Amino acid sequence: MTALTDLGVAALRDGVRDGAFSAREAAEAYVAAVEKARGLNAFVVETPEHALAAADAADAARANGALKPLSGVPLGIKDLFCTEGVQSTAGSRILEGFRPNYESTVSAKLFEAGAGMLGKLNMDEFAMGSSNETSGYGAVISPWKRNDGGNAPLAPGGSSGGSAAAVAARIAPGATGTDTGGSIRQPAAFVGISGIKPTYGRCSRWGIVAFASSLDQAGPMARDVRDCAILLEAMSGFDPKDSTSLDLPVPKWEANLSADIKGKRVGIPKEYRIDGVPEEIGRVWDRGIDWLEDAGAEIVEVSLPHTKYALPTYYIIAPAEASSNLARYDGVRYGLRVQPDQGGLQDMYEATRAAGFGPEVKRRIMIGTYVLSAGFYDAYFNRAQKVRALIARDFERVWESCDLLLTPTAPSAAFALGEKSADPIAMYLNDVFAVPASLAGLPAMSVPAGLDGQGLPLGLQIVGKALDEQNVLNAGLAIEERAGFTARPEAWW
Ligand code: GLN
């Protein structure tokens, strides 16, 4: 018999509906799996009581014929989402002990749809990172290992590293992530799962701890494309509490899921063939091109001429917004307060921020403050805003000749913990393929496409037009069906 933890979102929902097992049994299986896998450090807080209560409600709903779209599905929630009464730290020590008295819109929507919460998932501090190593609560360890016999613990990617590890290790059927410049897609690629960042504005940012507000988007991470579609449907929708929320109906992504992409033109951006990327990445990309062609797509070479400016632009805009957003952590309003024996309010601010923020967050605050300063605003922030507009225009032009883009998700497979943490630029380079779609606010998804020579997952990215998540998901499904990716990490934890 398959273990209940082998079942993903759709299978749990359907199994509970069909009476194959109870929601309580499923939640108990997942709660036990979470406890057993503590060595991965994927969860910073476990909330079995929440998952079990939602499961009991699901079983009662079934008895009353009142099942909801996510009845029977326990989820992991990234710790960037404020959860009522449950510690929400954004991976930072400065928010240790912060228990919001409100629920983020996205988590509230998931719970209203019947889902339960297994716990809060570890992440890079304030979502700044690509390896989960900047977390104030310790790195997450990827469930994957290289097949070279070496035992080097690997990074699960970041910043949604806890979400990625939990889904890949099958201790959660699905999880929420957030993506500012790749934090759903890159970790999904590193651990062999699927994840989608929707169009900016699809998911409300209300109650999500802000990193870079013009880029931040929530999205699901799950074992396959269908599960992503189901979760995204529950997470999306207009919210008057977020001024950038899109006032549009939520499409029926799951019902309209189809791997038939006949006639769709898929663009292959030539600027994404960059030097120094391992050949295996190029080979997986070529296979992806063949798969989409096989699914009926027409492949066209396209150009996004400003691609090379995307990373520097992102690393001006994101820190600038972050430096402003993080000003609120002053020791007065939330979490940590460090009051030096001597001194006044200013000294308290300084001591709190010095103790509460980690080195990467401090680096971003300094960069952001610098690029926004009176003397450098025009040279950096203003210039970056203009380049961002050019990058967005590149995409608008490209949609004249294609409907979707296919690229690798990340320029490498997962690296070992510690391998890049001393070199911020090497770490930032990880986002090279993910950041352009973020700057343009476009929907983008990563799906697993194969393994590299060391037995580690590689992902392919599909980018779509604004609001065209359906075709992104459909192309993702076409790849999923052809890639036949069934590899999973051996349970050593
Ligand atoms: N790795 C990128 C950064 O460190 C993206 C993070 C994210 O998307 N939250 O900023």
Side-chain angles (χ1 to χ4, degrees), residues 248-386:
L248 292 170
V250 179
K252 300 263 172 265
W253 289 306
E254 188 197 6
N256 293 317
L257 205 53
S258 157
D260 180 2
I261 53 167
K262 225 165 261 122
K264 293 284 169 228
R265 295 162 305 166
V266 176
I268 309 299
K270 61 169 192 256
E271 290 79 5
Y272 282 55
R273 298 230 181 245
I274 52 176
D275 289 342
V277 172
E279 263 174 48
E280 283 172 305
I281 303 275
R283 277 202 293 273
V284 162
W285 194 6
D286 290 339
R287 274 210 300 274
I289 293 171
D290 291 345
W291 290 329
L292 290 184
E293 217 166 13
D294 180 62
E298 183 196 328
I299 306 295
V300 288
E301 178 163 312
V302 297
S303 171
L304 295 164
H306 296 92
T307 299
K308 65 169 181 282
Y309 303 114
L311 212 48
T313 301
Y314 172 85
Y315 276 100
I316 291 172
I317 291 176
E321 294 186 19
S323 72
S324 164
N325 275 326
L326 269 55
R328 73 190 67 173
Y329 305 105
D330 55 7
V332 177
R333 283 170 282 193
Y334 309 89
L336 184 74
R337 172 179 305 174
V338 180
Q339 182 68 64
D341 291 341
Q342 315 224 303
L345 188 61
Q346 184 70 29
D347 303 279
M348 189 280 284
Y349 290 159
E350 287 175 10
T352 300
R353 289 168 70 85
F357 289 139
E360 182 62 25
V361 172
K362 287 177 182 158
R363 178 181 298 125
R364 306 270 182 126
I365 292 174
M366 283 191 279
I367 295 172
T369 310
Y370 179 81
V371 300
L372 288 175
S373 63
F376 296 100
Y377 183 91
D378 276 329
Y380 290 102
F381 186 70
N382 223 358
R383 182 67 61 91
Q385 296 283 51
K386 289 179 187 164

Side-chain angles (χ1 to χ4, degrees), residues 78 127-130 158-159 178-184 211 314-315 318 364 428 431:
K78 186 178 181 179
M128 299 172 188
S130 305
S159 66
T178 64
D179 191 311
T180 302
S183 280
I184 287 176
F211 164 12
Y314 172 85
Y315 276 100
R364 306 270 182 126
Y428 296 171
D431 304 323

Side-chain angles (χ1 to χ4, degrees), residues 105-106 109 198 201-205 217 232-242 244-251 253:
T105 298
V106 163
K109 278 178 174 289
R202 274 283 192 209
C203 290
S204 169
R205 289 182 295 108
Q217 257 304 286
L232 185 60
E233 240 173 272
M235 293 165 72
S236 299
F238 177 59
D239 178 9
K241 290 188 286 203
D242 171 2
T244 57
S245 170
L246 292 167
D247 191 359
L248 292 170
V250 179
W253 289 306

